Amino acid sequence: MLKRNKMKVLSLILATLVVGTTFVGCGKKDDASSTAKVDQVVKYNLGAQPKTIDPGLNNSVEGGIVDVNAFEGLENVDANNKVTPGVAEKYDVSSDGTKYTFHLRKDAKWSDGKGVTANDFYYAWTRALAPETASDYAYQLYYIKNGEAYNGGKAKVADLGIKVVDDYTLEVTLEAPTAYFLALTAFPTYFPVRKDIVEANKEGWATDAKTFVSNGAYKMSEYAQKDHMTFVKNDSYWDKANVKLDKIQYTLLDNETSALNAFESGEIDATDLLPAEQKQSLIKDGKAKVYPYLGTYYYAVNVSNKNVSADVAKALSNTNVRKALSMAIDRTAIVENVTKGGEQPATSYVPKGIVDSTGKEFKNKDYLKTTADVEGAKKLLADAGYPEGKGFPKLEIKYNTGQGHQNIAQAIQEMWKKNLGIDVTLVNEERKVQLDDLTKHNFMVCRTAWIADYNDPMTFIDMYYTNGGNNNPGYTNPEYDKLVDAAKKGTDAAKRTEDMHKAEDILMNDMPIIPIYYYTNVLALKNNITDLQKSPLGFVYFRNTVVEAASK
């Protein structure tokens, strides 16, 4: 995101960066003596097992939920999802908006009792930026002076705009004013990690309760692979007095029916993994609620020419083919007949609800139709040399485990066969494997999605920068890159928005991705659990959560 050169605008910008809702139960909140009689334990279903919960390497919502509760950045977000002090109790900003000086609180501790210092942030950030780390989210630190140059091997670590003044003072110099930089410091990639812990076991430190040392409200007590993770209240956390839960158990049920059955039987207390056909009845019965969710569900198309046969590479490298595949999809039918959770057909990549630098809605046009344009799709496919699908190689759609993803894939498989004459096979993979295949461009077409990291169009636009860590299609366009660079460094709000609109114009014309729908999030939650904070950025915060006596 971007920072304005006029600091008086900063408070307005930050007010819109992180927005969300807090789920408050139906009952009246008990006083301290009453809640003390109820076990303060929440069993939350993450769904898929995260590929990693190392905050410097994670790039999934599942891992992010764990990280925002186990760690704390320089800044945090409060119950209203507004940026608030975290490890840094205060900060100073230079008049030109490019230099931040963070003053760390001296009572911030790691879960093993050691103090959190500026060196822990320095290590975490330089580690994520180091080329050998290969962090998918390294680009999230490119706002720091020479961050991109260091990650690309064109600068030394000493050239980075990160300076440890002393144990409790961290000075950060940016490439350009960035209005949302404070919000970024509350994002997992900016969380501190301990050098002595990570360096002692680089591959396994984040999978063992003995070594998963964290500095947030909760600490790990158990990690049972593919089953559950248990976190308990961190008594070393500086704000522990305001943390009410004693334990969070994250279950890893990745089947919608199994998750709902576990919820109904009381085995879990909350899940957003629900069978599509049950969502509306759960909402009507008051067992579930629809939350805003700033994200787009889409299919990535491999345009890298890697890990596919020559005939597939030839087909997918043709822009008309990609456009035909997109035009042959009836998005309205998918949201009304398949997903059934209040989703809206995606007619752009950047979803509704994302605001520009002035706080205005960014979305200004529809690139796609909500229903299939069969004749238009057939013409484009014929222009590409595949009339009625003749001679077109068999495609493969990969999707991660989940009945919902499978149902969507089957619907699109049928649409492409009926409307274009293209044969498609479906491949189901567990989430960890699918994320790895996306990173390595090991797919033809793959289900994926993007949830905003902060409320600004750049969180979507910069993903498809050449060689970007989350650029799964392997897309490259020099003009697109120029516009991203200009928008990141520009200080004129109108020009910045214009550059990002032009970038999205290019992306939606080249079609390395096929948007399907804009997300909503339907969460089933026991009604005696209050103040569970559900962010439209995908995170769930448990710092203020309370379990009340169940209503009779």
Side-chain angles (χ1 to χ4, degrees):
M1 285 182 9
L2 181 64
K3 187 168 179 57
R4 308 316 317 144
N5 56 357
K6 294 185 178 180
M7 296 310 295
K8 67 179 181 180
V9 182
L10 181 59
S11 60
L12 172 63
I13 296 294
L14 290 179
T16 62
L17 288 178
V18 186
V19 295
T21 54
T22 301
F23 193 108
V24 180
C26 302
K28 180 180 179 182
K29 189 175 290 188
D30 296 334
D31 58 27
S33 61
S34 176
T35 58
K37 299 175 184 178
V38 180
D39 288 339
Q40 294 301 303
V41 178
V42 169
K43 290 171 283 186
Y44 184 91
N45 184 42
L46 276 182
Q49 176 173 303
K51 179 180 178 181
T52 179
I53 54 174
D54 179 333
L57 300 180
N58 173 66
N59 68 347
S60 72
V61 171
E62 299 92 346
I65 291 173
V66 175
D67 285 339
V68 297
N69 290 286
F71 292 86
E72 183 174 68
L74 292 168
E75 298 295 310
N76 211 327
V77 291
D78 63 15
N80 296 311
N81 288 290
K82 298 298 189 294
V83 175
T84 190
V87 176
E89 56 185 355
K90 60 181 181 179
Y91 63 90
D92 305 310
V93 187
S94 63
S95 60
D96 66 356
T98 62
K99 182 176 290 187
Y100 284 76
T101 302
F102 293 96
H103 304 279
L104 280 57
R105 59 180 76 249
K106 295 182 180 179
D107 57 347
K109 305 289 183 182
W110 290 98
S111 53
D112 63 0
K114 293 186 177 181
V116 179
T117 71
N119 284 293
D120 297 323
F121 286 93
Y122 178 88
Y123 171 71
W125 296 5
T126 55
R127 170 184 177 245
L129 278 170
E132 61 270 20
T133 303
S135 172
D136 289 341
Y137 258 129
Y139 69 90
Q140 212 55 303
L141 294 150
Y142 286 0
Y143 300 96
I144 298 171
K145 185 177 180 181
N146 288 319
E148 183 175 7
Y150 175 56
N151 183 248
K154 298 178 181 179
K156 298 178 180 179
V157 67
D159 299 324
L160 289 171
I162 312 170
K163 180 182 179 182
V164 175
V165 179
D166 57 44
D167 280 352
Y168 302 103
T169 310
L170 183 70
E171 187 178 276
V172 184
T173 303
L174 307 182
E175 287 279 354
T178 306
Y180 46 89
F181 181 67
L182 286 179
L184 284 173
T185 66
F187 188 77
T189 312
Y190 280 80
F191 289 169
V193 292
R194 278 257 298 278
K195 182 176 181 179
D196 60 318
I197 297 294
V198 176
E199 295 296 323
N201 186 6
K202 293 182 180 180
E203 300 298 325
W205 77 274
T207 61
D208 188 340
K210 295 177 181 178
T211 56
F212 194 74
V213 176
S214 59
N215 72 315
Y218 301 94
K219 63 180 181 180
M220 184 190 289
S221 64
E222 182 186 18
Y223 192 166
Q225 293 281 341
K226 298 187 178 181
D227 189 74
H228 69 271
M229 289 181 277
T230 303
F231 282 74
V232 298
K233 182 176 179 178
N234 179 10
D235 289 330
S236 296
Y237 181 51
W238 67 270
D239 197 28
K240 64 181 179 181
N242 291 313
V243 178
K244 307 304 180 186
L245 291 185
D246 293 320
K247 183 188 295 185
I248 306 167
Q249 185 172 88
Y250 299 107
T251 55
L252 305 174
L253 298 171
D254 60 6
N255 177 273
E256 289 90 336
T257 300
S258 297
L260 178 57
N261 288 341
F263 175 76
E264 296 283 21
S265 68
E267 294 176 50
I268 61 175
D269 300 312
T271 181
D272 63 3
L273 191 66
L274 300 164
E277 60 272 13
Q278 299 292 324
K279 288 181 180 179
Q280 293 305 316
S281 62
L282 289 166
I283 294 168
K284 183 179 180 180
D285 293 341
K287 294 180 180 180
K289 181 178 177 180
V290 180
Y291 290 86
Y293 208 17
L294 298 178
T296 302
Y297 187 108
Y298 62 97
Y299 276 11
V301 181
N302 188 347
V303 295
S304 72
N305 294 332
K306 297 178 181 178
N307 303 314
V308 294
S309 63
D311 57 341
V312 170
K314 178 184 177 182
L316 297 183
S317 295
N318 191 306
T319 305
N320 282 340
V321 166
R322 301 194 295 272
K323 288 181 177 179
L325 293 173
S326 176
M327 292 170 67
I329 296 173
D330 187 336
R331 293 164 174 81
T332 297
I334 288 175
V335 300
E336 291 182 354
N337 304 324
V338 181
T339 60
K340 302 178 183 179
E343 300 86 355
Q344 294 184 353
T347 58
S348 62
Y349 175 49
V350 180
K352 294 180 178 179
I354 294 292
V355 298
D356 64 17
S357 302
T358 65
K360 295 181 179 179
E361 177 77 35
F362 177 77
K363 187 176 185 294
N364 70 340
K365 68 181 69 173
D366 295 319
Y367 296 95
L368 307 170
K369 294 182 179 180
T370 59
T371 57
D373 179 357
V374 178
E375 292 307 312
K378 284 184 175 180
K379 182 179 185 305
L380 286 175
L381 197 64
D383 290 346
Y386 305 101
E388 301 295 328
K390 295 177 181 178
F392 199 92
K394 180 174 286 189
L395 281 186
E396 179 183 89
I397 295 175
K398 286 187 176 180
Y399 62 92
N400 55 297
T401 301
Q403 190 62 48
H405 302 315
Q406 178 177 308
N407 291 345
I408 293 170
Q410 288 176 338
I412 292 176
Q413 177 189 41
E414 182 178 346
M415 291 174 189
W416 285 351
K417 177 63 176 177
K418 178 181 178 182
N419 297 336
L420 297 176
I422 293 175
D423 291 322
V424 179
T425 59
L426 306 181
V427 177
N428 166 48
E429 296 182 328
E430 66 175 40
R431 180 64 163 156
K432 187 175 181 179
V433 175
Q434 186 230 13
L435 286 172
D436 193 49
D437 279 346
L438 277 166
T439 299
K440 295 176 179 177
H441 314 298
N442 185 27
F443 63 92
M444 296 181 199
V445 177
C446 190
R447 172 267 155 186
T448 187
W450 194 252
I451 309 301
D453 296 331
Y454 45 91
N455 195 345
D456 186 277
M458 188 57 74
T459 187
F460 288 87
I461 297 297
D462 68 359
M463 284 181 63
Y464 296 103
Y465 195 90
T466 299
N467 295 324
N470 286 305
N471 184 349
N472 302 136
Y475 174 69
T476 181
N477 185 309
E479 185 60 30
Y480 185 88
D481 292 349
K482 289 179 182 178
L483 289 165
V484 173
D485 287 335
K488 281 192 171 185
K489 296 178 181 179
T491 56
D492 180 270
K495 180 62 166 59
R496 178 175 182 268
T497 297
E498 180 185 354
D499 287 338
M500 288 190 290
H501 276 143
K502 288 180 179 178
E504 188 175 23
D505 290 345
I506 292 173
L507 185 71
M508 295 305 295
N509 181 69
D510 290 349
M511 294 296 293
I513 57 170
I514 301 175
I516 308 297
Y517 63 77
Y518 303 134
Y519 269 100
T520 58
N521 192 221
V522 179
L523 177 71
L525 180 71
K526 298 299 183 184
N527 63 10
N528 64 320
I529 297 175
T530 66
D531 297 325
L532 182 149
Q533 184 181 342
K534 190 78 172 69
S535 165
L537 305 182
F539 299 137
V540 179
Y541 296 89
F542 295 99
R543 284 192 307 276
N544 302 306
T545 303
V546 176
V547 182
E548 299 179 350
S551 57
K552 296 182 180 179

